[in-house]
Amino acid sequence: MTEEPRKLSRHETHDLSMIIKDRTKVLRAHAEEQAAACMADFERQMATVYTVDQDEVWQKATQEAQRVVQESQATIAKRCKALGIPPTFAPSISASWQGRGENMLSSRRAELRRVAKSSIDAMTKAAITKIEKQALDLRTQVIGMGLLSADAKMFLESLAPIEESMRQLDFGEIEKKLENEQQLRLADRRRLYGGE
């Protein structure tokens, strides 16, 4: 014969509910802290400047490019001399190492930052919703343990396991979202101005 679980007293249900409420506040703060950490990590990635000496392949490729540029510049200078173009007016060719890609442009960084922020905001809201739902489920369960009526108990739901809602941003995913938005704006302009 199985024993019926002990019912919680009114005092116990009150204390447990207070603990759940406090735990909810801490979990919400943790979700917001994680959101700030995600944004900081994104900013760090976006601000990264790669130097040519970080990678042996980059160094060799840059040296080879400089060699080709010097040879080409010599050819251009020789032709300019033959055409009578003074050295001060002569065209030139150059190559330089760029330690950043598109994110060296402030306008591109602003776009990427906007998309990253909206993605992080969405993840934070999803995490907070999950936390609030879990807290409600826990409070419901605690109250259910204090109920005597079988009818009252049938309305209570069981607690679902919590999963991690926040994840690190994928820089490529942010760029794809931004490109899709740009394509939609371009298509809208074409339709508006009769380009399609």
Side-chain angles (χ1 to χ4, degrees), residues 15-31 130-139 159-162:
D15 288 350
L16 285 171
S17 292
M18 294 306 293
I19 289 170
I20 292 166
K21 185 177 178 182
D22 290 344
R23 183 172 180 259
T24 301
K25 284 181 189 176
V26 170
L27 289 173
R28 285 181 64 113
H30 180 69
K130 192 169 207 166
I131 290 164
E132 293 291 345
K133 182 185 181 313
Q134 182 188 27
L136 176 62
D137 290 347
L138 282 170
R139 285 192 307 268
L159 177 64
I162 189 164

Side-chain angles (χ1 to χ4, degrees), residues 5 38 42 49 53 69 98 108 113 153 164 171 181 192:
C38 283
F42 177 78
V49 177
D53 60 355
V69 166
Q98 298 294 325
R108 179 66 171 163
R113 189 175 287 117
K153 286 183 179 182
E164 190 63 42
F171 200 75
E181 286 178 11
L192 183 64

Side-chain angles (χ1 to χ4, degrees), residues 140-173:
T140 303
Q141 192 174 34
V142 166
I143 295 298
M145 293 172 78
L147 295 175
L148 299 175
S149 158
D151 290 337
K153 286 183 179 182
M154 74 178 212
F155 291 104
L156 300 176
E157 296 177 359
S158 63
L159 177 64
I162 189 164
E163 297 169 4
E164 190 63 42
S165 297
M166 300 291 285
R167 61 180 171 79
Q168 191 172 18
L169 287 181
D170 178 351
F171 200 75
E173 184 180 306

Side-chain angles (χ1 to χ4, degrees), residues 94-125:
S94 65
S96 64
W97 175 263
Q98 298 294 325
R100 299 171 89 172
E102 294 177 346
N103 59 335
M104 75 178 166
L105 303 172
S106 62
S107 59
R108 179 66 171 163
R109 286 193 308 274
E111 289 175 320
L112 292 168
R113 189 175 287 117
R114 180 183 54 77
V115 174
K117 185 175 178 347
S118 66
S119 296
I120 290 170
D121 287 348
M123 286 191 301
T124 304
K125 286 177 185 174

